Amino acid sequence: MNKLSSVVCVGGGPAGLYFGLLMKKQQPDCRVTVVERNRPFDTFGWGVVLSDQTLGNLRVADSESAKLIGEAFNHWDDIEVFFKGRSVRSGGHGFCGIGRKHLLNILQERCMALGVDLVFETDVSDEHAIAAKYNADLVIASDGLNSRIRTRYENVFQPDIDQRQCRFVWLGTHKTFDAFTFAFEQTEHGWFQAHAYKFDGNTSTFIVETPEEVWKAHGIDQMSQEEGIAFCQKLFGKYLDGHDLISNAKHLRGSAIWIRFPRVICKTWVHHEDIQGKRTPIVLMGDAAHTAHFSIGSGTKLALEDAIDLANEFATGEDTDTVLQAYEARRSVEVLKIQNAARNSTEWFENVDRYTGMEIEQFAYSLLTRSQRISHENLRLRDAKWLEGYESWFAKGPAVPPMFTPYTVRGLTLKNRIVVSPMAQYSAKEGVPGDYHLVHLGARALGGAAMVMVEMTSPVPEGRITPGCPGLYTDEQEAAFKRIVDFVHAQSDAAIGIQLGHSGPKGSTQLGWEEIDEPLAQGNWPLVAASAVPYGEQNQTPAAISLQDMETLKQAFVDSTRRAAAAGFDWLELHCAHGYLLASFISPLTNHRTDAYGGSLENRCRYPLEVFAAMRAAWPQDKPMSVRISAHDWAPGGTEPDDAIEIARLFKAAGCDMIDVSSGQTTRDAKPVYGRMYQTPFADRIRNETGIATIAVGAISEADHANSIIAAGRADLCAVARPHLADPAWTLHEAAKLQSRAVNWPKPYLSGRDQLYREIARQQAMQASQAVVADAAPHEGG
């Protein structure tokens, strides 16, 4: 074991206290000191929330304090949502509430019982002095959200502090709620929401939140503390049953009790200082290192789990540097997962107005799944009866998983909500799709998806990405595509669509299995783009396309559109994303034009809109058209989500039926923030702010993801790429998994052949499951 002689925790919140008691328990001979600026047993705030899972972690780490905390908790399973005069209640959520003061009291008493030195009413302005006083081997900076230590070494820790958009006030009330309660009230200036939960026998936390502009419009910023509380009490009076709202922050004046939540992310958590000739590590923990919005209730959880993790690392016996590196590496990843979920949750509450057109059933579902951590099947585990009722409401009939509900747009009805996303295959010869494409697309059409999409296909030879990419500018190409379309229509009930696009500055590159995005070794063709901006230093610099060539290319798009109609395609998509030619007009990173097609966003969209309008006029009116856009360039100065809203509105006005929402790939300098369903929030925002239907795409790899997206109204269709590439029958296999979990739905939602294939897949899944059980059985109890 790595022996420490002295540890100092600066800050006596949950992180400092819990790490102190865990280290003292682990190394009784180590002197552990927790220094706190407030008085003994003094704290501000009301209740805190922990999940059942976190409480389980506490039991493993220190059963004695966990027992006391567990006995003090008020436990509830239900969440109740009040909206537009109605309420929805679901169960099985497993929360625990405890007063913050009571929690700290338990930890303080446990520290004292173990021999931790608690030093109160000491404001640490110099961590060097306090470390020197106690001859510390380790300093834990657990000094909270406004950490002085973090600020002092901000050049090392590099904190990124984002002040969020809503104002909130943390109040209490003696009205006791029997469920975690979300209440939404509309005023003449906008929406307010309350988050309320009981944390002891006669007291509840009552947080009121609203966008800053709504808060200011009501003049709350000019009110006294008492006036602001009275405003909230009147607005939410029907939920309080005559009880008052109470503040325990009387030391703050006026509207200072209303704050904006600061999201804190630090690049590094460990710093070393020379203190009295000793290299002493200073380590961030809890809110000093990170914050997660209160709407997912994880601030205290993260602090306690930081303490558990670091204490466990010291128990390995490794040297201190190795311990601290492992702590930072693991916890920073775990915290990032929570912060990503918290970001989604925060943005949901910041934009409640986006969802207020929904009925309460979908509004509540959207709220429950807002972080994207709680999924459709997770809700089934929590409250199967409630979810089945929601599925029935969504399907307008017998309950069916949302991804298997049909969807109609113009004259086309898709049998379900799954689309095989267009994926470059690099297998065409002179732009002509062959037997490979017949098998590739045909197999996926038989795999249960509602529609298969052909990869980006160019209207001109020089618009291909690579020599292996398809085109639609010759009779031979048209005939080859018709062969594929006819097969799909004859042998399946899937629809088939084609995506037309021009590679622009990203053309004349090698096949995907060679050096992707790199220029050809020989035989490169000239490139054009909105401006003479190369995709990367190693790529060709394209010529800025002339007005005359723009007209010629527009006509080529129209000609390809007519060929697509003649080939029998059901759906047409225009590619305006990922830095290709039309996207190069839209992004300010690639459009430096000074004519009518450059400058403002409206001007930058002008040419893509002209192309779209000309194609729409040539495409049959009873068939849908979509447009793929990059909702975020993920690079400074590029397209942002706010721009995507306006782009979607412009295409909607031009007659677009659906926006296929992707992001990135405009520049090699892009730095996307990846994660499961990471692009879905863009589709959600576009759909619910502009009223145009959307396709979600990107890291959607399970039926659970698709069901959650569709059920919550974040998108209308889900485009699944890599999973369908690996498994042509992905949709049927996911259906089989759902059925194997005893999820049943009416047979009309699957065609005869789909039912046959699903039954085969279901039997395979059951056999595999039985094999696993049989293999595991001898080891039970071992």
Side-chain angles (χ1 to χ4, degrees):
M1 183 179 291
N2 187 340
K3 290 290 187 180
L4 298 173
S5 62
S6 176
V7 173
V8 172
C9 300
V10 179
L17 289 169
Y18 204 56
F19 181 72
L21 74 86
L22 292 179
M23 285 305 295
K24 190 65 176 177
K25 179 181 177 183
Q26 181 186 121
Q27 300 188 27
D29 294 338
C30 177
R31 181 180 187 182
V32 179
T33 308
V34 178
V35 184
E36 168 59 38
R37 66 180 178 179
N38 292 316
R39 296 172 297 177
F41 308 111
D42 191 10
T43 187
F44 301 101
W46 295 91
V48 297
V49 176
L50 298 176
S51 67
D52 287 347
Q53 180 183 13
T54 301
L55 189 56
N57 294 338
L58 298 185
R59 292 192 190 100
V60 173
D62 182 52
S63 60
E64 289 84 351
S65 59
K67 181 175 183 297
L68 294 172
I69 292 169
E71 290 171 351
F73 266 127
N74 280 269
H75 187 277
W76 68 91
D77 281 325
D78 289 357
I79 290 177
E80 189 162 19
V81 180
F82 292 88
F83 176 65
K84 292 182 178 178
R86 296 174 59 204
S87 67
V88 165
R89 190 176 182 119
S90 66
H93 299 287
F95 288 105
C96 302
I98 185 173
R100 178 176 169 82
K101 183 174 182 177
H102 195 171
L103 174 65
L104 293 184
N105 291 169
I106 290 171
L107 297 180
Q108 289 164 353
E109 289 172 355
R110 177 65 174 150
C111 281
M112 289 188 291
L114 288 168
V116 175
D117 295 329
L118 301 182
V119 179
F120 293 99
E121 297 184 76
T122 300
D123 194 3
V124 177
S125 58
D126 183 354
E127 67 282 351
H128 273 242
I130 205 79
K133 178 177 179 180
Y134 294 100
N135 194 26
D137 303 313
L138 173 68
V139 175
I140 299 296
S142 50
D143 52 342
L145 176 63
N146 299 309
S147 170
R148 291 179 181 174
I149 296 175
R150 183 189 67 219
T151 301
R152 189 167 297 119
Y153 304 111
E154 63 183 357
N155 61 320
V156 176
F157 294 128
Q158 298 183 49
D160 175 5
I161 303 175
D162 178 19
Q163 296 286 342
R164 299 305 306 178
Q165 298 173 15
C166 282
R167 290 277 177 171
F168 73 94
V169 60
W170 199 2
L171 302 171
T173 179
H174 291 305
K175 160 64 188 290
T176 53
F177 295 88
D178 64 349
F180 198 118
T181 299
F182 294 101
F184 298 84
E185 290 294 322
Q186 187 177 23
T187 70
E188 65 271 28
H189 299 299
W191 288 85
F192 284 76
Q193 55 260 7
H195 313 233
Y197 55 90
K198 182 174 72 171
F199 64 82
D200 66 25
N202 66 351
T203 320
S204 297
T205 293
F206 200 93
I207 300 172
V208 178
E209 182 184 26
T210 192
E212 174 139 1
E213 61 271 19
V214 178
W215 180 72
K216 286 186 175 179
H218 279 283
I220 302 174
D221 57 325
Q222 302 300 318
M223 293 181 185
S224 68
Q225 183 178 134
E226 292 74 18
E227 289 170 335
I229 294 172
F231 173 89
C232 295
Q233 190 165 308
K234 181 179 179 181
L235 182 61
F236 291 100
K238 61 181 153 185
Y239 308 104
L240 294 170
D241 296 337
H243 292 280
D244 290 336
L245 291 177
I246 313 162
S247 169
N248 64 2
K250 297 297 185 183
H251 60 294
L252 299 176
R253 294 184 174 275
S255 61
I257 58 171
W258 292 81
I259 64 172
R260 291 167 60 193
F261 186 85
R263 192 272 291 124
V264 176
I265 298 174
C266 290
K267 186 173 182 179
T268 184
W269 297 10
V270 179
H271 172 56
H272 290 84
E273 283 284 297
D274 187 307
I275 301 177
Q276 288 190 328
K278 182 163 62 174
R279 183 172 175 267
T280 306
I282 299 173
V283 182
L284 299 180
M285 185 175 287
D287 283 352
H290 48 70
T291 60
H293 192 258
F294 59 83
S295 63
I296 66 167
S298 290
T300 303
K301 161 194 167 69
L302 289 175
L304 295 171
E305 291 178 352
D306 282 354
I308 292 171
D309 189 279
L310 185 53
N312 287 344
E313 277 300 324
F314 273 108
T316 64
E318 297 287 347
D319 63 90
T320 298
D321 283 352
T322 301
V323 163
L324 297 180
Q325 288 170 8
Y327 162 73
E328 180 182 307
R330 183 168 49 254
R331 285 304 295 163
S332 61
V333 171
E334 291 304 311
V335 166
L336 186 59
K337 293 177 184 177
I338 297 291
Q339 287 185 317
N340 285 341
R343 181 191 65 242
N344 292 334
S345 178
T346 305
E347 290 179 355
W348 195 96
F349 282 106
E350 289 174 341
N351 296 282
V352 163
D353 189 58
R354 182 185 299 164
Y355 306 103
T356 53
M358 296 177 172
E359 296 298 319
I360 189 173
E361 289 83 359
Q362 190 168 50
F363 182 86
Y365 185 102
S366 178
L367 184 154
L368 291 173
T369 59
R370 65 194 180 276
S371 72
Q372 297 189 173
R373 294 180 74 220
I374 295 176
S375 68
H376 194 75
E377 292 308 309
N378 188 265
L379 287 174
R380 195 183 307 280
L381 288 173
R382 295 172 184 228
D383 193 336
K385 183 177 180 181
W386 171 81
L387 186 67
E388 184 176 350
Y390 180 72
E391 288 179 337
S392 179
W393 176 88
F394 187 87
K396 297 180 173 57
V400 58
M403 67 182 269
F404 288 103
T405 57
Y407 186 77
T408 299
V409 54
R410 294 197 185 238
L412 178 67
T413 296
L414 300 175
K415 64 181 179 180
N416 60 52
R417 306 299 187 96
I418 302 301
V419 175
V420 178
S421 195
M423 294 174 281
Q425 298 299 300
Y426 312 106
S427 299
K429 304 297 183 184
E430 299 298 329
V432 180
D435 288 349
Y436 173 87
H437 297 86
L438 175 67
V439 173
H440 168 71
L441 293 165
R444 283 148 189 84
L446 293 170
M451 181 166 66
V452 294
M453 290 292 296
V454 175
E455 64 199 272
M456 189 177 90
T457 301
S458 176
V460 292
E462 60 276 11
R464 292 173 296 155
I465 306 168
T466 76
C469 291
L472 188 49
Y473 43 82
T474 70
D475 292 344
E476 184 183 6
Q477 293 162 350
E478 180 184 323
F481 274 124
K482 186 176 189 306
R483 174 182 177 232
I484 295 168
V485 170
D486 288 347
F487 176 87
V488 169
H489 287 160
Q491 301 300 327
S492 80
D493 55 3
I496 182 168
I498 188 168
Q499 184 188 73
L500 293 180
H502 187 295
S503 59
K506 297 175 72 175
S508 191
T509 58
Q510 300 178 40
L511 302 181
W513 50 80
E514 296 172 339
E515 293 188 66
I516 193 166
D517 288 335
E518 299 300 310
L520 295 170
Q522 57 185 6
N524 284 281
W525 57 82
L527 304 182
V528 293
S531 300
V533 178
Y535 179 57
E537 291 182 2
Q538 61 271 57
N539 295 95
Q540 282 187 62
T541 298
I545 190 169
S546 68
L547 295 179
Q548 181 178 350
D549 287 344
M550 287 164 63
E551 283 299 314
T552 301
L553 182 59
K554 180 170 67 175
Q555 185 58 49
F557 270 105
V558 170
D559 292 342
S560 288
T561 297
R562 293 194 175 109
R563 288 185 180 278
F569 282 103
D570 304 296
W571 188 292
L572 180 62
E573 179 165 284
L574 179 62
H575 204 322
C576 295
H578 301 167
Y580 296 127
L581 179 63
L582 297 179
S584 77
F585 275 86
I586 295 173
S587 174
L589 294 175
T590 50
N591 186 338
H592 300 166
R593 299 176 75 99
T594 57
D595 60 7
Y597 296 95
S600 68
L601 177 61
E602 186 174 1
N603 281 357
R604 299 196 310 271
C605 288
R606 189 184 304 275
Y607 183 59
L609 287 165
E610 289 177 357
V611 172
F612 175 85
M615 293 170 64
R616 180 69 267 185
W619 183 244
Q621 288 303 299
D622 64 335
K623 293 187 176 184
M625 268 192 76
S626 57
V627 175
R628 174 168 282 204
I629 68 169
S630 286
H632 200 320
D633 282 340
W634 301 107
T639 300
E640 298 277 352
D642 285 349
D643 301 316
I645 296 297
E646 296 308 312
I647 294 166
R649 286 193 174 116
L650 289 169
F651 277 109
K652 179 185 179 185
C656 179
D657 298 299
M658 193 168 285
I659 300 294
D660 187 355
V661 187
S662 189
S663 70
Q665 301 179 54
T666 300
T667 170
R668 289 181 183 268
D669 296 328
K671 292 181 172 57
V673 179
Y674 293 112
R676 61 181 179 177
M677 302 177 283
Y678 72 104
Q679 294 176 149
T680 297
F682 305 140
D684 180 349
R685 184 175 175 192
I686 288 170
R687 180 185 189 272
N688 291 298
E689 287 190 23
T690 71
I692 191 170
T694 59
I695 304 173
V697 63
I700 299 169
S701 58
E702 301 174 8
D704 213 10
H705 298 164
N707 279 322
S708 301
I709 290 166
I710 300 302
R714 296 188 175 97
D716 300 275
L717 300 175
C718 288
V720 179
R722 288 174 177 83
H724 257 135
L725 194 59
D727 178 5
W730 178 86
T731 302
L732 290 177
H733 285 135
E734 290 301 298
K737 290 176 186 176
L738 290 175
Q739 190 180 34
S740 71
R741 296 170 189 157
V743 178
N744 297 303
W745 58 86
K747 289 184 178 180
Y749 285 103
L750 290 176
S751 69
R753 180 167 283 165
D754 282 359
Q755 288 188 58
L756 171 63
Y757 288 166
R758 188 197 63 178
E759 179 60 23
I760 293 170
R762 185 186 69 82
Q763 291 175 7
Q764 289 177 332
M766 289 180 62
Q767 291 168 1
S769 176
Q770 290 167 357
V772 170
V773 171
D775 182 64
H779 305 290
E780 287 181 5

